[in-house]
Every structure is written in C-alpha cells, then in structure tokens.
Amino acid sequence: MIKHIIAAVVTLLAAWAMFLVYQSDKEVNKLEEIQKMIKKTQVKVNLGNTESVTQESAATEKASSESVEKEQAKKKQELDEKLQALKNKAGNVAAFKVSPLYKQKCASCHGVNGEGIIGPKLIGDSSEKIHQALLEFKSGKRKNYVMYGLLSKMDEGQLKELSDEIGTFEQKLQEMQK
Ligand code: HEC
C-alpha cells in the first residue's frame, strides 16, 4: 500500500517537475521572445533614426537647392530688369541725334548714344581711340567676331566717319544736359 502511495507521490512529483520544466521552458521562450522583440524594436528605432537623419539631410538639401533656385530666380529677375532698363534706354530715347549710319550699324549693341548695351560704352572715348579699335577689329589684330564681321563690310571712309562722330558723343551729351 505504502509503495503505491510513494509511487503516486513520485509520479505526482515527476509530473510537477515536468510541469515546472515546461513552465520554465515557456518562461525561457518568453524571455527569448521578449529579447527578440527588443532587438526588433531596436532595429526599428535605429532604422527610424537613420531614416530621420536621411530625411533631415534631404530636407536641408532640398532647402539649399530651393535657396539656390530662389537666388537664381532673383539674379534672373535682376538681369531682366537691367535688360529692360537698357532696352528702354536703347528704345530711341536718344539725348542727341546720331547719324543714320551709326544708328543702323552700331546703336543696337552700343546704344543710341554710345552708352553701351551688349557692346561696351563708347561715349567718352576719343575719335582716335575708336578709330584705332575699329582698324584693329577689321584687320583681325583685335579678335572679335561680331565687330570683325560688321566692319568687314564697311570701308575705311565709313570707319573714319563713325570714329569722328562717336568721338563727339560726350560733348553732345554735355551740351544737351546744359
Ligand atoms: C552685334 C553687336 C555689335 C554691333 C552691331 C557693334 N558692336 Fe562694337 N562691339 C561689340 C562688342 C561685343 C565689343 C567688345 C569687343 C571686345 O572688346 O573684344 C565691341 C567693341 C567695340 C569697340 C571697342 C570699344 C572698347 O572700349 O574697347 C568699338 C570702338 C566699337 N565696338 C565700335 C563699334 C561701331 C563704330 C559699330 C558700328 C559700326 C559697332 N561697334 C557695332 C558689339 C557690337
């Protein structure tokens, strides 16, 4: 009888022990799961961080490219305004009369009164300086396709005429402003 009781108790104990082992296994599993979960969240957190970092740099890049665009737009506007001002200037608002030859051949680039647009300002230069420049452009000594192409179709007499005229621009302007 007692043997049976002992056997029963042992069996119970064994069952209990098995249950405990099973429980602790579960605990261990749980722990592992929790660790895995923690790892996962860590990875997520890390990813989140790097993502936010890249987003940040992308944002700053975007911002800088935006500011570059803004600056470019501003510069373009400034240039447009300058061009418009020059066009207005060139738009036959002459302070003094110029020869038809100058008006036709030179004014488009150097301005109606030699104030300069695409080409440099000519007003204020002496006739000698202008003549020298024209001769050098025509001979090719001074290289400029625009001026060379233009002057190649003009004769020496015209160059002299124009030089003499442009040399008087400054004086003419001063007389107009009196
Ligand atoms: C299509 C535009 C254009 C036309 C039209 C033009 N020029 Fe020019 N000219 C220029 C440019 C651009 C320069 C600057 C060239 C350089 O410095 O290499 C220049 C330079 C000059 C220079 C030298 C000025 C300096 O300060 O160095 C003189 C002088 C001149 N041009 C006279 C004339 C005369 C006179 C005419 C008319 C017959 C004329 N140009 C027509 C574009 C033009």
Side-chain angles (χ1 to χ4, degrees):
M1 180 65 187
I2 216 154
K3 266 186 190 171
H4 283 116
I5 291 167
I6 288 168
V9 168
V10 167
T11 316
L12 267 175
L13 276 174
W16 180 240
M18 273 168 75
F19 177 72
L20 278 181
V21 167
Y22 170 73
Q23 276 290 358
S24 67
D25 259 8
K26 252 171 90 178
E27 292 294 311
V28 167
N29 280 344
K30 259 190 201 162
L31 259 177
E32 272 176 9
E33 262 168 39
I34 287 166
Q35 269 175 348
K36 269 186 201 164
M37 272 161 72
I38 287 170
K39 264 190 194 161
K40 266 188 199 165
T41 51
Q42 270 176 346
V43 170
K44 259 190 198 163
V45 167
N46 281 342
L47 274 179
N49 275 345
T50 51
E51 249 172 43
S52 76
V53 164
T54 49
Q55 268 174 1
E56 242 174 46
S57 63
T60 47
E61 259 173 42
K62 210 182 157 204
S64 66
S65 78
E66 260 172 18
S67 72
V68 165
E69 267 171 31
K70 256 191 197 166
E71 210 155 276
Q72 278 176 345
K74 206 177 139 197
K75 273 189 187 153
K76 197 180 170 293
Q77 203 194 331
E78 273 175 15
L79 205 73
D80 283 349
E81 277 167 12
K82 271 187 196 165
L83 275 175
Q84 194 51 51
L86 285 172
K87 272 182 194 161
N88 290 344
K89 250 199 205 171
N92 297 327
V93 200
F96 51 86
K97 270 194 84 117
V98 295
S99 68
L101 185 62
Y102 176 83
K103 206 173 187 176
Q104 190 197 336
K105 299 273 186 186
C106 321
S108 54
C109 293
H110 291 282
V112 269
N113 287 150
E115 68 275 20
I117 308 175
I118 303 161
K121 172 173 162 280
L122 298 179
I123 192 164
D125 287 353
S126 69
S127 295
E128 291 73 36
K129 195 190 161 199
I130 303 286
H131 196 222
Q132 180 70 24
L134 294 186
L135 289 178
E136 283 181 4
F137 281 130
K138 193 177 164 78
S139 71
K141 189 179 166 201
R142 191 169 159 185
K143 288 195 171 29
N144 183 270
Y145 273 111
V146 178
M147 289 302 299
Y148 176 78
L150 226 128
L151 299 180
S152 64
K153 293 172 218 135
M154 295 172 77
D155 59 47
E156 301 278 324
Q158 284 178 312
L159 296 197
K160 187 76 175 66
E161 240 175 71
L162 280 168
S163 310
D164 286 346
E165 185 192 353
I166 295 166
T168 66
F169 276 4
E170 171 111 78
Q171 205 197 328
K172 278 183 180 155
L173 183 66
Q174 277 172 5
E175 273 165 19
M176 291 303 297
Q177 284 170 340
K178 269 180 196 164

